[in-house]
Amino acid sequence: MVPHLVTALTGPINELEARILDSLPAIERWFRLEWMEHTPPFYCAVDLRNSGFKLAPVDTSLYPTAFNHLTPEMLPLAVQAAMAAIEKICPEAKNLLLLPDSALVQRNPFYLGHLQRLVRIFSQAGLNVRLGALDLRIDQPQTLRAPDGGELLLEPLLRTPRRLGLKDFDPCTILVNDDLVAGTPAVLENLHEQYLLPPLHAGWGLRRKSRHFQSYEDVAKKFAKLLGMDPWLINPMYATCGEVDFSSPGGLDCVQANVDALLTKIRRKYKEYGINERPFVVVKSDDGHHGAGIITVRDARELPDLQQRCADKAAGVTEVIIQEGVATYERVHEAMAEPVVYMIDRYVVGGFYRVHAERGVDESLSGPGGRFVPLAFADGHQLPRPGDKPGVSAPNRFYMYGVIGRLAMLAASYELEATDPDAETYE
């Protein structure tokens, strides 16, 4: 299944697909060389948007929470990727401690399905997997019941001066599935004898979206040079404001100036490519709080009138990223759709379409009323077919998605290296 692309502007995206397919050997060699120099995140998920003239990542999660939406056909590849990742990190690994998001455990039953899937993947990769509670108020084992009737056991953590584990369970590797938006828990600090994945500076308490997209811009330029193309076709432009007060009369001056400047840049690109659409930007919290976005803006002069709406959605936000808006023109059964690519180590292991029938082309598709449709590259035997006409072949479309997803994953590796507090290059 290739979702219907509802736009007349299919030329640029089809040209991009053809260019990527024609360059497949060079692309795979380029990725191979990059991974010789850089360490991929242990796992990640990348949200993409396909406007028909541009395909770009709009968010990269280093703590993915929806492995349950990958079909069973995707599991063998996920298990193989998990094996490869573990072999590089701790070849003698026997025990894996999985630390779920405490809030999601309590309020989202589908998250338990995600945890079940992770346990299955890493168990089949040859590890004993148990769940530990980051909520230190949990002092007794708790049985969690998933929507399918299955059960998971969540156990209290046991911390010694140098190690973290459970009663009668000493893990080599600790896998965190909480994005640490509230900051770094003390129980995870100073673990000198175990592998903690992802590293602590990957948490949203320290991480910034603008730093990720700075790294992605570097990656996109390298990749575009390899293919002889304009990096804008795969790269959302952005700007930042570090001192924002949504409740103050002058608190949005920086935002307004940057929105105006960014919209001007986007209009120039639209004119260059003959795109007769009105551009927009999305103002987001730079530190990962408050969901996918605060506000969509098409004219900087709108901001004063929207200030109260911003203030209501952005309490406590003082740093924002202003990101070029990428509309989605893909449809699944006439509902808006955007692809999400899932990766373990340096491998694409699957993905799905996030679908929402009540959202517009310029809106986030996350939230109540949304649903998920597995991507067609669930069938691992569907390799790209370079001879097919662009825009009609599912394997080719999803190979292109996988390439852009891997670019975002590579950007995350650049980002984590640049922000590593223990690295000599830390700025």
Side-chain angles (χ1 to χ4, degrees):
M1 177 192 70
V2 177
H4 185 43
L5 190 62
V6 187
T7 174
L9 296 167
T10 55
I13 206 69
N14 285 346
E15 292 169 12
L16 176 62
E17 180 182 313
R19 189 179 293 265
I20 286 176
L21 267 293
D22 290 343
S23 305
L24 191 153
I27 289 171
E28 295 305 323
R29 178 179 182 273
W30 182 81
F31 272 121
R32 187 168 65 250
L33 295 177
E34 285 289 326
W35 293 130
M36 290 175 66
E37 300 292 332
H38 305 282
T39 301
F42 187 80
Y43 58 3
C44 73
V46 178
D47 295 0
L48 305 178
R49 302 275 284 200
N50 185 351
S51 68
F53 56 86
K54 181 167 187 157
L55 174 65
V58 294
D59 192 50
T60 300
S61 170
L62 300 182
Y63 301 88
T65 59
F67 270 91
N68 53 310
H69 295 304
L70 275 60
T71 64
E73 290 82 4
M74 300 180 187
L75 286 179
L77 183 54
V79 170
Q80 289 178 341
M83 286 179 174
I86 291 293
E87 286 172 5
K88 287 194 304 185
I89 295 163
C90 183
E92 70 279 10
K94 178 181 178 182
N95 297 331
L96 175 73
L97 176 60
L98 176 59
L99 303 180
D101 185 312
S102 299
L104 291 179
V105 164
Q106 299 300 323
R107 72 170 186 258
N108 188 342
F110 296 104
Y111 179 68
L112 301 183
H114 157 76
L115 294 177
Q116 285 180 307
R117 181 60 58 82
L118 282 182
V119 169
R120 182 177 177 186
I121 289 171
F122 291 109
S123 295
Q124 293 187 354
L127 296 167
N128 301 312
V129 185
R130 286 165 67 175
L131 274 60
L134 276 173
D135 184 349
L136 299 185
R137 295 171 296 181
I138 295 177
D139 58 6
Q140 296 293 327
Q142 293 186 359
T143 299
L144 309 174
R145 289 180 172 80
D148 68 353
E151 294 183 347
L152 293 165
L153 186 66
L154 182 66
E155 301 178 69
L157 294 176
L158 180 63
R159 176 66 199 251
T160 63
R162 300 181 68 85
R163 298 184 72 84
L164 180 66
L166 308 174
K167 183 180 179 181
D168 302 321
F169 188 76
D170 184 27
C172 163
T173 304
I174 300 167
L175 181 62
V176 182
N177 199 236
D178 183 313
D179 62 13
L180 307 182
V181 70
T184 302
V187 73
L188 297 182
E189 295 179 340
N190 301 313
L191 295 174
H192 301 295
E193 299 177 352
Q194 294 167 297
Y195 294 95
L196 184 67
L197 304 169
L200 290 178
H201 64 284
W204 277 126
L206 298 173
R207 189 177 174 223
R208 294 294 179 266
K209 292 182 180 180
S210 55
R211 187 64 187 81
H212 174 75
F213 282 101
Q214 179 184 343
S215 296
Y216 183 79
E217 185 175 1
D218 294 341
V219 169
K221 286 179 179 178
K222 289 183 180 180
F223 184 78
K225 183 177 181 180
L226 175 73
L227 268 64
M229 55 176 277
D230 183 352
W232 177 76
L233 294 172
I234 59 172
N235 179 39
M237 294 187 287
Y238 73 96
T240 59
C241 288
E243 296 182 5
V244 180
D245 184 353
F246 286 93
S247 62
S248 166
L252 293 187
D253 288 350
C254 174
V255 178
Q256 191 164 3
N258 277 282
V259 165
D260 189 49
L262 189 54
L263 284 170
T264 299
K265 291 180 182 178
I266 301 170
R267 290 188 194 101
R268 291 196 194 106
K269 279 295 182 182
Y270 279 23
K271 183 177 181 180
E272 178 183 343
Y273 284 94
I275 298 165
N276 297 315
E277 297 193 10
R278 191 182 181 198
F280 66 97
V281 298
V282 179
V283 182
K284 306 178 181 181
S285 172
D286 200 16
D287 63 0
H289 283 79
H290 305 280
I294 296 171
I295 196 73
T296 298
V297 183
R298 295 183 180 275
D299 190 325
R301 292 172 295 184
E302 300 172 356
L303 275 169
D305 296 333
L306 296 171
Q307 185 157 6
Q308 184 57 52
R309 182 180 166 193
C310 291
D312 292 341
K313 299 181 69 176
V317 173
T318 58
E319 301 174 68
V320 299
I321 177 172
I322 301 117
Q323 190 175 48
E324 175 187 356
V326 182
T328 179
Y329 284 105
E330 292 192 275
R331 302 287 188 277
V332 172
H333 305 306
E334 302 308 315
M336 299 290 176
E338 64 183 15
V340 183
V341 179
Y342 266 57
M343 289 159 282
I344 297 176
D345 194 63
R346 59 193 177 105
Y347 304 101
V348 174
V349 298
F352 50 84
Y353 272 99
R354 183 181 288 116
V355 180
H356 206 301
E358 299 174 4
R359 298 286 174 91
V361 297
D362 60 352
E363 294 181 285
S364 168
L365 304 187
S366 298
R371 59 191 180 90
F372 305 92
V373 177
L375 281 171
F377 57 41
D379 299 323
H381 62 274
Q382 291 196 20
L383 295 174
R385 297 196 288 262
D388 286 2
K389 181 180 178 182
V392 299
S393 168
N396 290 355
R397 173 81 66 87
F398 301 136
Y399 176 74
M400 180 170 64
Y401 290 164
V403 167
I404 304 302
R406 284 185 287 165
L407 292 178
M409 177 172 60
L410 179 58
S413 73
Y414 282 28
E415 171 197 358
L416 293 179
E417 290 167 7
T419 57
D420 185 350
D422 297 323
E424 295 180 0
T425 56
Y426 180 66
E427 299 176 355

